[in-house]
Amino acid sequence: MANVSNIVMKFGGTSVASRDAVFAVVAIVKRYRKAHPVVVVSAIRGVTEALLAFSKCPKAKISGRISALRTVHEKLVAAIFPAASDVSEIMAYVVAQLAHAEKIARRGEFTPEKMDELVSSGEIMSSYIVSYALRSGGIDSEQIISTEIVATDDNFMQAEFMPDETERNAGKILGPLIKRGVVPVVTGFLGCTKDGRITTLGRGGSDYTASIIGHALSSKEIQIWTDVDGIFTADPRVVESARVITDISYREASEMAAFGARVLHPRTIRPAVEKNIPVRVLNTFNLGTTGTLVSPRSTGVGLKAIAFKRNVVLVNVYSDAMLFSRGFLARMFEIFARHQISIDLVSVSEVSVSVTLDDVHHLASVIKELETFSKVSVYKESFGMVSLIGQGIATSRDIMRDVSAQFSKEKIPLRMISMGASDINISLVIHSADVERAVNKLHNHFFNI
Ligand code: ADP
Ligand code: ASP
Ligand code: MG
């Protein structure tokens, strides 16, 4: 472990996507220089998506798409660096990365393992550029590829980190740099298996990288720099009247992330909790705000925020004869668990069990097994979920009364409801088409707008 206490600063895809954004990053890092920052970066906005799309790209279009990615990087680099020699040095690096990505795309074998190797180029390129920009701005900096630090299992595309090994690697690699006053620029999103294969931590995983590094170094603070002023009462891109939450507890922020608020990767908070590290969400493009502080401190009971998922998979399992026979639910959940599918909500009636899922990997095999003893129907696109989040809300009867009144006024049918295992979440399953309207109506009702 590093002996110097430090902060981790993560900059997301939009924060590295333009000249102004990268200049803002350099200025922000300068400002925090005395706090010995470790910087974590995402790929340039849109690049991960474009790399993932190679799995569905006809062979004839591969080179065109690679050159489009080259252009994205070249435009950025040319806008940042006035000297042609800098541009050509960086572009040589970018082109080599893209050549590797192209080779994988051409092979056409898109296993989760190969996909991780392919998408890793996004963060590898952006971290090189940001580190270079910091040096040009007079800050001693070194690019670090996180496969050397973040040790994970081999659950490709959704890997989980291994704390002990990661801590050892971070101490060995980052510790000496921090001590020398060098700012490491670490690739977000990427990890590595024991036997050296590249993994990723799931979409949006750079937030998680930041908290993994913070955990490994026992940092003073984890900062998530993004493109909005902090964590809002609802997604500000969907709810115009949403407001910044200045203080929120670990539990509430975790619940928001798990139930769809993209501002934090769902697993970001856990490592911070273990080491009691505050997490601050800040806007790269607006330094005049203090953002949101996520900490162990409770900020009182009541509704804090509304999160949503536009699409959830709803699975109904019917069995008139079997439901109340001993072990039915256990047998059913065991099948989901064995296929590593986690269930968000469960509702049980006399003859059926409904569950909602986020991740549909392996769903076909689950259904096949369930069908050996029950009737199964799956609704893939048509349902979404709205979640009300705040300490103590699930035990408040008034909230449910108000939700029902709002929904009946708006003619929004409620398909399923769950009060959560804890008392901080009420989730409502409704038609996807109603989600945005429901979020707006509930938000404006509960926040008195
Ligand atoms: P980054 O690339 O910086 O990681 P993301 O797009 O992953 O950025 O996350 C930031 C986005 O999260 C915001 O632009 C916003 O639209 C969305 N978001 C969803 N829910 C919330 C919320 N409750 N508060 C703030 N932002 C939210
Ligand atoms: N670049 C990755 C993604 O788009 C990770 C991240 O941005 O956090 O999912
Ligand atoms: Mg993100």
Side-chain angles (χ1 to χ4, degrees):
M1 200 205 304
N3 295 321
V4 193
S5 79
N6 68 87
I7 60 168
V8 180
M9 311 174 79
K10 177 262 174 176
F11 294 92
T14 316
S15 305
V16 297
S18 67
R19 170 185 178 275
D20 287 355
V22 174
F23 283 176
V25 170
V26 172
I28 293 165
V29 173
K30 263 189 190 157
R31 215 194 209 199
Y32 284 92
R33 210 169 177 178
K34 290 213 172 75
H36 307 285
V38 172
V39 170
V40 173
V41 292
S42 293
I44 296 172
R45 186 178 196 90
V47 167
T48 303
E49 206 66 42
L51 289 165
L52 287 168
F54 277 112
S55 67
K56 295 190 184 78
C57 176
K59 280 238 157 73
K61 292 199 168 154
I62 292 177
S63 64
R65 299 245 187 120
I66 290 285
S67 78
L69 280 168
R70 181 198 154 122
T71 307
V72 165
H73 288 82
E74 195 159 27
K75 273 196 177 146
L76 176 67
V77 171
I80 300 173
F81 302 97
S85 55
D86 290 333
V87 175
S88 62
E89 186 179 333
I90 299 169
M91 285 314 294
Y93 188 87
V94 166
V95 165
Q97 283 303 318
L98 289 174
H100 183 61
E102 180 167 7
K103 213 165 89 191
I104 301 169
R106 289 209 174 279
R107 220 178 289 145
E109 179 202 325
F110 298 110
T111 58
E113 181 179 344
K114 283 291 160 200
M115 290 309 292
D116 279 353
E117 194 181 338
L118 177 58
V119 296
S120 69
S121 55
E123 269 72 10
I124 294 176
M125 293 185 288
S126 65
S127 57
Y128 189 85
I129 296 169
V130 170
S131 184
Y132 207 107
L134 285 173
R135 285 195 300 277
S136 299
I139 301 169
D140 205 357
S141 170
E142 207 173 290
Q143 177 203 27
I144 301 290
I145 298 176
S146 56
T147 50
E148 287 185 65
I149 297 175
V150 180
T152 72
D153 60 18
D154 62 359
N155 190 12
F156 294 99
M157 298 181 87
Q158 198 58 252
E160 189 49 276
F161 87 111
M162 300 192 289
D164 295 344
E165 229 169 309
T166 301
E167 190 170 323
R168 266 199 306 278
N169 296 338
K172 215 163 50 197
I173 294 167
L174 299 175
L177 291 176
I178 298 168
K179 269 199 203 146
R180 277 186 9 235
V182 177
V183 176
V185 177
V186 181
T187 55
F189 193 38
L190 317 179
C192 190
T193 63
K194 259 203 182 80
D195 54 358
R197 293 174 293 160
I198 299 176
T199 55
T200 63
L201 306 170
R203 292 307 309 275
S206 298
D207 301 332
Y208 195 31
T209 308
S211 72
I212 291 171
I213 302 277
H215 180 271
L217 296 173
S218 297
S219 302
K220 271 198 305 235
E221 183 166 294
I222 296 160
Q223 300 181 343
I224 306 293
W225 291 85
T226 184
D227 55 7
V228 290
D229 282 346
I231 300 181
F232 282 67
T233 47
D235 186 343
R237 295 190 202 287
V238 172
V239 178
E240 214 180 303
S241 53
R243 297 191 287 237
V244 177
I245 304 169
T246 50
D247 282 280
I248 192 164
S249 70
Y250 280 147
R251 283 189 61 206
E252 289 166 329
S254 281
E255 201 77 7
M256 282 181 76
F259 285 82
R262 198 184 58 195
V263 62
L264 289 177
H265 178 279
R267 283 179 279 161
T268 309
I269 300 297
R270 219 184 310 145
V273 170
E274 271 179 35
K275 296 259 174 115
N276 230 358
I277 306 168
V279 176
R280 211 179 273 278
V281 181
L282 295 150
N283 190 347
T284 306
F285 306 95
N286 183 7
L287 300 184
T289 56
T290 49
T292 300
L293 178 65
V294 187
S295 74
R297 222 154 41 102
S298 157
T299 53
V301 295
L303 183 66
K304 289 283 152 48
I306 302 180
F308 63 90
K309 293 185 181 182
R310 286 197 170 79
N311 287 297
V312 294
V313 177
L314 181 68
V315 180
N316 278 332
V317 184
Y318 307 88
S319 174
D320 43 4
M322 306 275 285
L323 189 57
F324 287 108
S325 70
R326 218 174 291 161
F328 179 87
L329 287 176
R331 191 171 169 197
M332 181 182 142
F333 291 138
E334 186 277 328
I335 295 171
F336 281 102
R338 187 155 30 79
H339 290 277
Q340 295 192 332
I341 295 186
S342 70
I343 294 173
D344 277 345
L345 302 186
V346 184
S347 133
V348 182
S349 80
E350 269 189 42
V351 290
S352 74
V353 186
S354 301
V355 296
T356 67
L357 318 166
D358 203 15
D359 174 11
V360 288
H361 281 79
H362 318 297
L363 185 58
S365 348
V366 168
I367 293 168
K368 212 162 144 199
E369 284 194 45
L370 290 172
E371 280 177 342
T372 59
F373 60 92
S374 57
K375 227 165 53 194
V376 182
S377 47
V378 179
Y379 305 88
K380 266 202 182 146
E381 303 280 296
S382 42
F383 290 101
M385 180 162 70
V386 175
S387 303
L388 306 177
I389 290 153
Q391 194 59 51
I393 61 158
T395 44
S396 151
R397 252 182 300 152
D398 295 352
I399 285 200
M400 263 332 287
R401 187 199 55 209
D402 286 13
V403 168
S404 303
Q406 289 295 315
F407 277 14
S408 84
K409 195 165 93 195
E410 293 296 321
K411 301 199 169 33
I412 297 173
L414 185 57
R415 175 68 177 72
M416 190 171 151
I417 172 168
S418 159
M419 310 287 275
S422 62
D423 64 349
I424 86 169
N425 178 327
I426 297 175
S427 286
L428 313 154
V429 176
I430 57 180
H431 287 293
S432 294
D434 293 331
V435 166
E436 288 205 8
R437 193 160 50 99
V439 172
N440 271 286
K441 293 292 172 197
L442 293 177
H443 182 273
N444 294 351
H445 172 78
F446 286 116
F447 292 98
N448 297 318
I449 288 157

